[in-house]
Amino acid sequence: MKIAVTGATGVLGQEAVAALIAAGHEVTGVTRRERGIPVIEGRGARAVVADVFDQKELTRTFRGHDVVVNTLAHVPIGMAAMRPLSWREDDRLHLEASVAIAKAAAEAGAGRLIQESTIFLYPDNGSEWIGEDEPLSVRNQAFKPRVKEMRAAVDFATSGRTAVILRLGQLFGRDPQTTHALKAVREGDPILLGKPENYVTLLHHRDAGQAFVSALRARSGFYNVGGEPITRSRWAKDLAAEAGAGKPAKFYTELAQAVVGTRLDVQRRSLRVSSVRFMSETGWRPLTGPSTPGWSRM
Ligand SMILES: NC(=O)c1ccc[n+]([C@@H]2O[C@H](COP(=O)([O-])OP(=O)(O)OC[C@H]3O[C@@H](n4cnc5c(N)ncnc54)[C@H](OP(=O)(O)O)[C@@H]3O)[C@@H](O)[C@H]2O)c1
């Protein structure tokens, strides 16, 4: 198939491009700048420079493609995420670029849109499992961009088109966010939010890349994509083992956690998310877990 990927130079985008190429597809990676070209070509795809906020330019870029995969994001790293302004770019990407991408994909005649989304929109559900039918906890204005992005993908799925919305688990691997966490663990600084008994649903980047390939087989709908959920105390030990640190990763104090703000507050939620729907629909399976040695170098 001919597949266009937006955000192709990013953590998720690079994995998606590499996995789609390995699966035998013809891939066009979209970047806003010339310096993104070698990154995309290095993964075996054709690179195109385009403005992801410009619907007309996107329509021209997507013409002739069967599928559009949108992996755009700009998540601030570490405690920078406490500052609401640090989310401005991420918000704009979901609020405006994702909408332009969905509309352009339809105009260009693509039959399928695969849209990255996140499990962090679910409410805290303690030790109970969370499936796709669980109502989202998105009343706060901070979640408006993600809701608008979802609506745009749903709108795409009219007139026989297919929209697959992947609610990805918390990413881990060799990305900046996890690298920051491993450094904090080595230095004995707190890094974890929530409570030790809370659940976390993780997703290795490689498995995320494969999920975009598997999503080519899925019917329209929302799908959770993550590994077997584990408790945060287990994750604290896994982080320490990978960091080569003697002691488990530390939690922020209750007082510090009380002032993290809406954006980081989602990381305090206990999210025991089931990906059974995606697995049975597509056959996708996570291959790398947080106790797989060397996961931060893969
Ligand atoms: N579910 C999760 O847990 C989750 C989800 C997403 C990200 N993250 C984490 O967050 C960290 C950062 O990753 P990320 O995906 O946010 O960022 P990223 O990988 O640095 O960025 C993704 C791509 O989006 C494009 N982009 C970013 N800002 C843009 C803008 N203002 N205008 C146009 N294009 C823009 C860039 O492409 P060009 O510069 O080539 O145009 C960039 O390569 C990583 O550690 C990642 O693992 C976690």
Side-chain angles (χ1 to χ4, degrees):
M1 273 189 265
K2 281 195 82 177
I3 303 173
V5 179
T6 52
T9 62
V11 171
L12 269 178
Q14 285 193 53
E15 294 292 353
V17 167
L20 289 163
I21 290 280
H25 299 289
E26 206 180 313
V27 180
T28 303
V30 180
T31 174
R32 78 194 121 147
R33 36 196 176 191
E34 298 286 329
R35 72 166 189 254
I37 295 174
V39 178
I40 294 167
E41 290 181 346
R43 294 283 181 165
R46 184 176 78 98
V48 169
V49 176
D51 178 358
V52 290
F53 296 97
D54 184 334
Q55 197 180 316
K56 281 203 181 114
E57 200 176 334
L58 287 170
T59 305
R60 280 196 298 276
T61 305
F62 295 158
R63 205 152 267 142
H65 291 79
D66 308 297
V67 181
V68 172
V69 176
N70 181 18
T71 70
L72 279 176
H74 190 72
V75 177
I77 307 299
M79 278 300 162
M82 274 179 72
R83 296 194 307 269
L85 278 184
S86 68
W87 288 88
R88 211 168 34 184
E89 280 305 301
D90 191 65
D91 283 350
R92 240 186 112 222
L93 287 174
H94 300 304
L95 198 60
E96 297 172 25
S98 295
V99 175
I101 287 165
K103 286 185 178 165
E107 269 172 30
R112 177 177 292 261
L113 173 68
I114 302 174
Q115 172 62 55
E116 174 265 356
S117 188
T118 171
I119 61 164
F120 288 112
L121 304 177
Y122 287 120
D124 186 311
N125 211 21
S127 58
E128 298 296 316
W129 284 95
I130 297 174
E132 287 82 352
D133 299 331
E134 183 75 30
L136 300 177
S137 175
V138 288
R139 259 204 221 136
N140 193 294
Q141 275 298 303
F143 302 114
K144 191 174 152 201
R146 281 298 200 174
V147 172
K148 220 171 158 209
E149 175 184 80
M150 264 189 278
R151 289 212 182 106
V154 170
D155 287 347
F156 174 89
T158 54
S159 319
R161 290 188 289 262
T162 303
V164 178
I165 299 154
L166 301 180
R167 292 181 177 152
L168 304 185
Q170 183 178 325
L171 294 172
F172 75 110
R174 60 151 114 213
D175 62 299
Q177 194 81 268
T178 320
T179 305
H180 169 82
L182 291 169
K183 182 167 176 278
V185 179
R186 273 185 216 107
E187 292 172 359
D189 294 333
I191 191 65
L192 294 175
L193 292 164
K195 297 194 178 113
E197 66 273 22
N198 288 165
Y199 279 86
V200 58
T201 303
L202 298 159
L203 176 66
H204 193 268
H205 292 116
R206 284 277 165 86
D207 291 326
Q210 280 305 327
F212 289 103
V213 179
S214 300
L216 295 171
R217 298 190 282 276
R219 285 169 288 182
S220 274
F222 297 94
Y223 297 92
N224 298 332
V225 186
E228 181 70 23
I230 55 172
T231 60
R232 285 188 202 278
S233 57
R234 178 70 253 165
W235 177 221
K237 288 180 191 148
D238 290 334
L239 271 170
E242 188 66 14
K247 289 192 183 149
K250 285 187 189 157
F251 286 78
Y252 283 100
T253 60
E254 284 284 323
L255 196 61
Q257 294 202 30
V259 294
V260 291
T262 315
R263 303 308 193 118
L264 279 183
D265 199 56
V266 298
Q267 292 193 21
R268 300 175 67 200
R269 296 177 181 174
S270 184
L271 299 173
R272 191 181 192 189
V273 175
S274 163
S275 303
V276 164
R277 181 186 284 179
F278 190 57
M279 292 196 224
S280 44
E281 175 83 5
T282 68
W284 174 85
R285 295 283 181 279
L287 300 178
T288 306
S291 53
T292 309
W295 56 252
S296 62
R297 295 182 296 282
M298 290 173 181

